[in-house]
Amino acid sequence: MFQWLKKKLKWMIHKQYSNGQTQPNDNSTSKSESVAQTQTKPVYKNVYKNAEEMKRILGENEGVFNRTFTIGKQNGKFAYIFAVSGMVDTKVINENILSPLMNLELPNSPSETVQFLKYLKESVLTISEVEFEENLLLIPQIIFTGKVILFIDAEDKALVIDAQAMDVRGIEQSVNESVLRGARDAFNEDIGTNLSLVRRRIRDPKLHCEPMIIGKQTHTKVVITYIDGIVNKDILNEVKKRINNIQIDSVLESGVIEQLIEDAPYSLFPTIGNVEKPDTVAAELLEGRVAIFVDGTPFVLTVPHLLVNHFQVAEDYYSRPIYSNFVRLLRILSFFISVMLPGVFVAFQYYHSILIPFDLLITLAKERAEVPFQLIVETIGMLIVFEIIKESGLRMPKPIGQAVSIVGALILGEAAVQAGLVGIPVVVTIAIVGIASFPVSTLGEAISILRILFVFAGAALGLFGILILGMVVVSHLASLRSFGVPYSAPLFPIKVGDLKDSIIRFPLSLLVRRPLTFKTENQMNQTLGGDSGEGQRGKE
């Protein structure tokens, strides 16, 4: 029996590896791309066979156009061109591909045309990017990236010509990350434009951009970006490994990849950052992080991502430290108010009313005298109504959304108070909580759920229940990791050198090292005062 089970186990492992499901892959290309490349079919030398095969693979595809023509005025060679309407520039095709090829003077001697494709690439086609492709099965995938495919009779390779011309949204201001001082440009949906915005800020050849293709059906382009010589290679390899392990049909937004590679998918706290501003991505790359660009979305993923990053914005480093620290402390205070104030309010009313000043207690009692619901029902109900109003304002068209927010906040709240459904203290508390949640918008999802949990904890055990739940949340934060880096660093565990830019920010002249938490290859960020200054600051 044991021998039979052993043979069965070996057969299952062999089958699993043969299907390519668990075999490790450390290359920079994705698994979906590597699997596709194992299936090869050479390009036919007969141009019409290639055309028939392409039509068979593509089927009845609206928008895919093809044309046959002759290269050269005399002794010409038949050629076939394939492209997708709307993704290529027809003017470029006419002026830079068809016109030079059809008017080409072909030599009469066969020896001069031995390397015909190389001759066309280097001397005839007036386009910057021209490549060769030998695998016929990869060509349909290439066409839908906006490239032009050229088959030539008697040639066993196809020419892949870049003639992309897709309409993209211009570079505009960020919607979610507004600033008073600093760059106002934001990413758009074109990955090439997004990469150029970062390269404009980091003009260093060590800025590496490694492309890969993710998605069996969408074939979405993903680019891993980092600065060689700064990034921690262990973190970089972990990022590549997790992305290579993705097996999914579609990747339509960076949030799909975020959910598939994050450390704690069931946690309320995001362990991967998403950024819309190029200067923020550039700053994080210079700290030793890795950025993940996804074609078709203006949101770039950055890893590792820590808890303190939610309270930091790019503008903190463009302003003087005194005011920047004041605003950063306000963000931290806003987070605690937004999460814990409703629970503390319920706990004081239920269990600790003796701690409330007598005059205020009398006022609260009068307001609650005509309310027919329990305080916890009233508080939870108002929190849910607030979330509904906020979601409605976000999802509806902008002008209507603003009107809905005003109606919900003023008219609906006033009517509910006058009807005796809720008390004024609860409305004021929820209003303060709602306003306090906006300065830390990146933690909005966690805040919405945590505040309800704290209300239940306060109603069940008072301040003791809030303390217990707070300890659970802190323990959870201390256990989280972001690509091997402690999520709560530099607070847990304490990194004394990184505390200079955590809760408060020291002057830039003292921030001479990159975060020690990331264990970057090059720790020094700046050198002031010559060799002696470097030695002095190195000791810090």
Side-chain angles (χ1 to χ4, degrees), residues 224-226 231 235-236 239 285 288-292 301-304:
I224 298 176
T225 308
Y226 59 93
V231 68
I235 296 176
L236 177 61
V239 172
L285 288 173
R289 289 182 171 92
V290 179
I292 304 171
L301 306 179
T302 57
V303 294

Side-chain angles (χ1 to χ4, degrees), residues 1 8 17 20 50 59 119 165 183 204 224 227 280 291 304 337 368 395 417 436 446 457 462 467 512 531:
M1 185 66 179
K8 186 70 174 177
Y17 270 88
N50 291 325
Y119 169 68
D204 192 334
I224 298 176
I227 300 179
T280 304
I337 290 176
R368 285 214 37 82
R395 303 304 172 193
V417 172
L467 179 62
V512 297
D531 295 336

Side-chain angles (χ1 to χ4, degrees), residues 485-537:
V485 178
Y487 184 64
S488 55
L491 304 177
F492 311 104
I494 295 179
K495 297 286 185 180
V496 178
D498 291 351
L499 292 176
K500 297 179 180 179
D501 186 18
S502 54
I503 298 177
I504 61 174
R505 176 182 75 83
F506 280 35
L508 293 180
S509 58
L510 298 179
L511 302 180
V512 297
R513 291 183 178 272
R514 294 183 173 88
L516 301 174
T517 306
F518 299 154
K519 299 179 181 179
T520 56
E521 292 186 0
N522 181 5
Q523 284 288 335
M524 299 303 298
N525 183 36
Q526 60 174 309
T527 302
L528 301 177
D531 295 336
S532 59
E534 179 181 0
Q536 181 180 356
R537 297 189 184 279

Side-chain angles (χ1 to χ4, degrees), residues 192-223:
T193 302
N194 296 340
L195 290 172
S196 66
L197 290 175
V198 175
R199 288 193 177 277
R200 185 182 301 176
R201 290 167 168 83
I202 305 178
R203 301 179 177 91
D204 192 334
K206 292 184 178 180
L207 177 64
H208 290 187
C209 302
E210 298 186 6
M212 55 180 60
I213 304 298
I214 305 295
K216 298 176 184 177
Q217 303 296 330
T218 58
H219 300 288
T220 306
K221 185 176 182 180
V222 177
V223 177

Side-chain angles (χ1 to χ4, degrees), residues 71-146:
I71 298 177
K73 294 181 178 180
Q74 56 186 1
N75 300 324
K77 302 182 70 171
F78 291 108
Y80 227 106
I81 191 171
F82 278 87
V84 178
S85 300
M87 301 184 71
V88 293
D89 191 339
T90 55
K91 183 178 180 181
V92 172
I93 293 177
N94 294 332
E95 296 181 357
N96 301 86
I97 300 176
L98 293 178
S99 180
L101 291 176
M102 297 174 71
N103 296 320
L104 180 63
E105 294 287 348
L106 292 177
N108 294 325
S109 174
S111 62
E112 299 181 24
T113 62
V114 173
Q115 296 182 339
F116 185 65
L117 293 182
K118 184 178 180 182
Y119 169 68
L120 295 182
K121 175 181 178 181
E122 297 179 353
S123 304
V124 179
L125 296 174
T126 57
I127 291 182
S128 59
E129 185 176 339
V130 180
E131 300 175 351
F132 301 126
E133 181 56 56
E134 300 179 357
N135 190 355
L136 190 62
L137 297 180
L138 288 180
I139 290 178
Q141 173 184 333
I142 296 174
I143 289 179
F144 288 105
T145 63

